Amino acid sequence: MPELPEVNTFQRYFDETSLKQKIVIVKVQDDKIIRNVSGDEFIDLLTGRTFTGSYRRGKYLFGILDNGHHLLLHFGMTGDLVYYSEVEDQPRHERFAFHFENGYILGFDCPRKFARISYIENLENYIEEKKLGEDAQRITEDYFLEKMKSKKGSIKGFLLNQSILAGMGNLYADEVCYQTRIHPESVSNKIPKKKKQELFQKMQEILQYAIDRSVNYKDYPENYLFQWRVDGTIAPDKKSKVESATIAGRTTYFSKGWQKKYT
DNA sequence: TGTGATGTTGAATG
DNA sequence: GCATTCAACATCAC
């Protein structure tokens, strides 16, 4: 269930379990999610290798290999990592797995197969090709304001655009809009500067809050919109009702009475 | 039984 | 070139 904070949690998990051990066996149960090489090539490329570190940018997690290459783990909607040693702990929808020297296994679970795995020889080139923006937590306020100036689409679409800033997903974008009282359909370059700054600050705050606690959406405080993503419920501000609409192609929850639309 | 779900991408359209 | 919309990807849960 990964947006930036969740992928950050995956990174921690990956770092704690899978670094500095040789991969002795690679198993591929379903190579559909492996994008740029075949299942057999994947096995050849990774057998005998060791992960020395990781790098996360938005929702993209790159495992750093001991030959300087990278393995991209993108979790899609339902990707998950499971480190286990007993066969019965193997996740139900494991698509591939690394067996380490110590007998433990890192399995990549993914029911919906929306994940994307790529073997990358040159990370800079890959990021360039994909036009992957800088991580949402590493951009500056100036950059954020500057980018918004020229954008005529909805603020929701802006926040979701991974080539401008990487890491915001559907739920977090709604949350940031809600907390800054900006209607998600607002036109990006029509939002007053002060509100834009607020948007930037809130985004940082919400992401950091989630990262600090490795939280799930459900663990958020009640005044967050997260657990109120139901039409017609009373919004956390207690006065307005939550409604939904499709904005920027995604189901978006907001509260008309609470959030102002700048057009 | 039908519907929609945390994400990305490519095609089609304006 | 840009922005937007839609369908597709595959499975599960309600």
Side-chain angles (χ1 to χ4, degrees):
Chain A
M1 341 162 208
E3 296 186 33
L4 187 154
E6 290 72 29
V7 178
N8 194 74
T9 304
F10 287 143
Q11 180 180 28
R12 260 185 242 163
Y13 185 80
F14 178 78
D15 286 352
E16 282 164 15
T17 59
S18 305
L19 300 188
K20 300 187 170 73
Q21 328 184 40
K22 193 188 263 191
I23 300 167
V24 290
I25 301 169
V26 179
K27 292 229 165 111
V28 176
Q29 289 96 327
D30 187 335
D31 67 359
K32 190 126 204 177
I33 61 173
I34 302 171
R35 296 297 158 140
N36 64 344
V37 293
S38 70
D40 287 341
E41 286 168 332
F42 186 77
I43 292 169
D44 285 347
L45 286 163
L46 288 154
T47 304
R49 296 258 77 93
T50 299
F51 287 110
T52 58
S54 66
Y55 168 65
R56 184 187 60 72
R57 180 155 168 151
K59 306 170 201 171
Y60 290 67
L61 178 60
F62 300 92
I64 303 169
L65 292 160
D66 57 352
N67 60 358
H69 295 178
H70 292 78
L71 181 71
L72 164 66
L73 303 173
H74 189 289
F75 296 87
M77 301 258 252
T78 57
D80 197 9
L81 294 175
V82 186
Y83 188 69
Y84 62 98
S85 62
E86 307 296 329
V87 181
E88 62 261 32
D89 294 329
Q90 178 178 340
R92 191 163 152 206
H93 302 284
E94 184 178 281
R95 305 305 180 190
F96 66 88
F98 300 129
H99 295 232
F100 295 111
E101 262 174 330
N102 67 356
Y104 274 78
I105 299 164
L106 181 72
F108 192 97
D109 189 54
C110 188
R112 282 173 71 185
K113 299 187 196 174
F114 284 4
R116 272 140 212 278
I117 310 300
S118 287
Y119 186 88
I120 295 161
E121 290 186 16
N122 184 314
L123 186 61
E124 283 70 41
N125 288 356
Y126 178 83
I127 287 172
E128 177 67 26
E129 254 171 54
K130 289 277 165 186
K131 301 202 188 323
L132 181 58
E134 184 53 279
D135 187 88
Q137 281 202 303
R138 292 194 288 261
I139 59 170
T140 62
E141 186 177 294
D142 284 347
Y143 171 87
F144 186 80
L145 265 47
E146 191 58 37
K147 281 288 177 188
M148 272 182 90
K149 260 190 205 166
S150 58
K151 295 293 175 188
K152 287 177 272 190
S154 66
I155 182 61
K156 168 108 183 190
F158 178 86
L159 292 170
L160 289 179
N161 186 337
Q162 303 297 305
S163 67
I164 300 172
L165 65 164
M168 294 296 283
N170 198 26
L171 273 57
Y172 279 85
D174 283 2
E175 189 64 44
V176 172
C177 288
Y178 179 79
Q179 291 206 22
T180 51
R181 303 189 65 169
I182 296 169
H183 192 294
E185 222 169 5
S186 296
V187 176
S188 299
N189 66 4
K190 293 291 170 60
I191 297 171
K193 188 174 179 196
K194 203 157 179 208
K195 274 289 177 194
K196 288 185 198 165
Q197 291 170 325
E198 215 181 299
L199 201 56
F200 179 79
Q201 295 303 333
K202 264 294 176 213
M203 179 174 78
Q204 299 303 339
E205 188 186 308
I206 291 169
L207 290 173
Q208 197 55 48
Y209 181 96
I211 281 176
D212 287 347
R213 303 166 194 227
S214 305
V215 287
N216 232 298
Y217 309 112
K218 288 168 188 123
D219 303 326
Y220 273 91
E222 286 204 349
N223 60 349
Y224 274 50
L225 186 67
F226 280 119
Q227 51 276 68
W228 304 98
R229 295 176 70 80
V230 180
D231 263 331
T233 52
I234 303 294
D237 64 82
K238 305 274 193 254
K239 294 184 200 91
S240 58
K241 280 194 178 157
V242 175
E243 55 189 299
S244 65
T246 298
I247 301 173
R250 308 295 302 278
T251 303
T252 302
Y253 288 87
F254 59 96
S255 156
K256 220 183 259 167
W258 179 250
Q259 291 161 268
K260 178 167 176 176
K261 196 193 282 193
Y262 301 90
T263 54

